């Protein structure tokens, strides 16, 4: 049996690579093929050339046949994924989406006010499940797998059991403006302005700022003018997310999933979305005790205040099958292929 993975993006790409590796180890009887459009900021060029087939999805179909299985993420605006769902339906193949985001946005399955769905959607957490159910996705196609990405990452996390005087702010950048264009909704802030606010707070508190550019910002020079002894800019390929967070006493971002990792590691994590009436992903941060700061004048106090270390069960209770998502994924695939 042939199983195709369409791998693109950042978090989605890492999750799908983990899923494909798991299947190859557990199901030697399956023919696993990895295809990409080449938009893979977190996967090395050598890995792409040796493992993935780059495909022109704009002009060519995947070449699915009856009985095949195709697994994708769901990126904004979802044009390629909808083509894949349609091709699978036409030939009698099975289509599956893995949603790696915590509290994932269900609206990405809409196009022109119509829902375009695969045969199954695998989710990491209860909030994403509720979001999908809330827009009318049938519950029988929503599969509670858990987070392959976070389960894998948490293996490397070291929980810090004490608070120390904060000397370094870590900023996990997200390309907000590009996201807002893709989403068709502007939340009113941008990533460079946030960096400037954090530098100002750092000066007040005597703290340095470390900026970790998002993988999609790898070649961007947007932060170069901020470089100084008090502000160091780095790319995602210079250190793992775990190593970066370990250097920081406080970690700030707009809506990065890595805030969850920072919280899990015992670092103070802060969501900062200035002047935003309805902060994106507020539900997940409120559930696990990450403060949401909406005004620059409150940022200094939020960073300087001490707070309790996270109790691990806050995240574990939110995620499905914590530390067991690989087995759940394999069981699900076995159920639809055997």
């Amino acid at each position: 049996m042939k199983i195709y993975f369409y791998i693109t993006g950042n978090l989605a790409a890492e999750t799908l690579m983990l899923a494909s590796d798991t299947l190859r180890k557990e199901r030697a009887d399956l023919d696993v093929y990895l295809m990409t459009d080449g938009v893979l900021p977190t996967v090395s060029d050598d890995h792409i050339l040796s493992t993935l087939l780059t495909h022109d999805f704009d002009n060519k179909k995947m070449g699915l046949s009856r009985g095949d299985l195709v697994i994708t993420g769901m990126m904004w605006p979802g044009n390629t994924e909808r083509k894949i769902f349609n091709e699978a339906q036409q030939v009698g193949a099975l289509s599956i989406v893995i949603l790696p985001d915590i509290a994932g946005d269900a609206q990405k399955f809409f196009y022109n006010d119509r829902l375009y769905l695969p045969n199954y959607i695998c989710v990491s957490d209860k909030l994403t499940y509720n979001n999908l159910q809330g827009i009318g996705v049938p519950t029988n196609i929503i599969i509670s797998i858990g987070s392959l990405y976070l389960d894998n990452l948490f293996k490397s996390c070291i929980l810090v059991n004490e608070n120390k005087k904060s000397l370094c702010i870590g900023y996990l950048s997200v390309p907000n403006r590009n996201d807002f264009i893709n989403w068709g909704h502007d939340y009113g802030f941008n990533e460079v302005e946030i960096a400037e606010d954090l530098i100002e707070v750092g000066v007040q508190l005597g703290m340095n700022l470390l900026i970790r550019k998002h993988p999609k910002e790898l070649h961007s020079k947007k932060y170069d003018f901020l470089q100084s002894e008090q502000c160091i800019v780095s790319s995602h390929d210079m250190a793992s997310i775990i190593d970066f967070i370990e250097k920081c006493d406080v970690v700030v971002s707009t809506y990065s999933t890595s805030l969850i990792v920072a919280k899990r590691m015992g670092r103070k994590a802060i969501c900062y979305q200035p002047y935003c009436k309805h902060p994106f992903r507020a539900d997940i941060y409120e559930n696990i005790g990450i403060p949401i700061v909406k005004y620059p004048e409150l940022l200094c106090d939020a960073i300087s205040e001490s707070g309790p270390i996270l109790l691990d069960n806050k995240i574990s209770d939110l995620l499905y099958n914590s530390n067991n998502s690989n087995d759940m994924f394999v069981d699900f695939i076995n159920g639809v292929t055997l």
Side-chain angles (χ1 to χ4, degrees):
M1 181 179 185
K2 294 181 179 179
I3 296 188
Y4 295 87
F5 284 83
Y6 166 53
I7 297 178
T8 190
N10 175 27
L11 176 58
E14 294 193 46
T15 300
L16 290 169
M17 294 291 285
L18 289 169
S20 64
D21 288 345
T22 296
L23 277 189
R24 281 176 162 160
K25 291 175 183 176
E26 299 295 331
R27 290 288 305 275
D29 59 308
L30 299 175
D31 293 325
V32 179
Y33 300 88
L34 278 58
M35 304 177 76
T36 180
D37 57 0
V39 184
L40 291 164
T42 56
V43 181
S44 71
D45 290 340
D46 289 342
H47 197 81
I48 294 172
L49 291 173
S50 64
T51 310
L52 286 80
L53 172 65
T54 301
H55 187 76
D56 180 6
F57 289 91
D58 289 334
N59 300 301
K60 296 179 182 178
K61 293 184 177 181
M62 289 191 78
L64 301 173
S65 300
R66 175 174 291 277
D68 288 345
L69 191 153
V70 58
I71 302 176
T72 77
M74 191 66 193
M75 307 291 292
W76 286 97
N79 296 333
T80 299
E81 289 84 353
R82 283 189 293 274
K83 290 178 183 177
I84 293 173
F85 302 162
N86 184 59
E87 180 183 347
Q89 184 178 28
Q90 288 180 345
V91 302
L94 202 64
S95 58
I96 296 170
V97 164
I98 298 179
L99 285 183
D101 287 329
I102 311 303
D105 187 357
Q107 295 298 320
K108 61 181 66 177
F109 288 98
F110 274 106
Y111 181 71
N112 288 339
D113 297 323
R114 177 185 165 189
L115 269 176
Y116 288 82
L117 299 173
N119 294 106
Y120 296 102
I121 303 173
C122 298
V123 300
S124 300
D125 64 289
K126 299 170 186 177
L127 295 175
T128 302
Y129 189 105
N130 292 339
N131 290 344
L132 291 169
Q133 190 178 26
I135 65 166
V137 176
T139 56
N140 65 309
I141 76 166
I142 308 174
I143 312 299
S144 306
I145 295 294
S147 176
L148 282 77
Y149 172 77
L150 288 179
D151 278 359
N152 182 66
L153 203 59
F154 285 169
K155 294 175 184 176
S156 305
C157 286
I158 300 174
L159 182 62
V160 177
N161 291 314
E162 72 278 347
N163 290 315
K164 56 183 178 178
K165 182 176 176 58
S166 296
L167 300 175
C168 178
I169 303 169
Y171 173 36
L172 297 169
S173 176
V174 178
N176 303 132
R177 286 301 184 190
N178 286 345
D179 283 350
F180 300 159
I181 291 170
N182 287 332
W183 300 346
H185 179 84
D186 195 328
Y187 282 79
F189 51 82
N190 75 61
E191 58 272 24
V192 176
E193 293 170 350
I194 288 170
E196 292 174 319
D197 288 349
L198 290 171
I199 289 175
E200 185 175 335
V201 168
V203 170
Q204 296 177 50
L205 297 176
M207 299 171 66
N208 293 331
L209 178 66
L210 300 181
I211 299 176
R212 187 181 195 262
K213 294 192 293 185
H214 189 275
K216 292 178 182 177
E217 300 172 326
L218 178 60
H219 301 296
S220 172
K221 298 182 179 181
K222 69 177 88 173
Y223 302 106
D224 286 3
F225 77 102
L226 298 174
Q227 286 261 28
S228 70
E229 290 185 4
Q230 289 73 43
C231 177
I232 299 172
V233 181
S234 64
S235 298
H236 77 279
D237 57 354
M238 296 176 67
S240 71
I241 188 63
I242 297 293
D243 290 340
F244 178 83
I245 291 172
E246 284 180 344
K247 296 177 184 177
C248 306
D249 303 281
V250 180
V251 178
V252 181
S253 187
T254 49
Y255 44 78
S256 172
T257 299
S258 296
L259 282 178
I260 301 171
V261 180
K263 187 70 172 174
R264 170 64 176 77
M265 291 173 65
R267 296 299 193 263
K268 183 188 298 183
I270 295 172
C271 165
Y272 179 47
Q273 299 186 39
Y275 305 111
C276 187
K277 293 182 179 179
H278 304 288
F280 183 63
R281 304 186 83 182
D283 47 0
I284 173 65
Y285 299 136
E286 289 170 350
N287 265 271
I288 63 174
I290 293 178
I292 301 169
V293 179
K294 300 181 184 179
Y295 301 100
E297 57 267 27
L298 301 179
L299 190 56
C300 188
D301 286 344
I303 288 175
S304 61
E305 289 174 356
S306 62
I309 297 298
L310 168 73
L311 295 176
D312 186 37
N313 64 352
K314 286 190 176 181
I315 291 178
S316 298
D317 287 349
L318 185 65
L319 297 175
Y320 288 118
N321 307 307
S322 287
N323 301 317
N324 197 38
S325 58
N326 274 355
D327 290 342
M328 295 301 297
F329 175 67
V330 172
D331 287 347
F332 165 63
I333 296 299
N334 287 342
V336 297
T337 58
L338 295 178

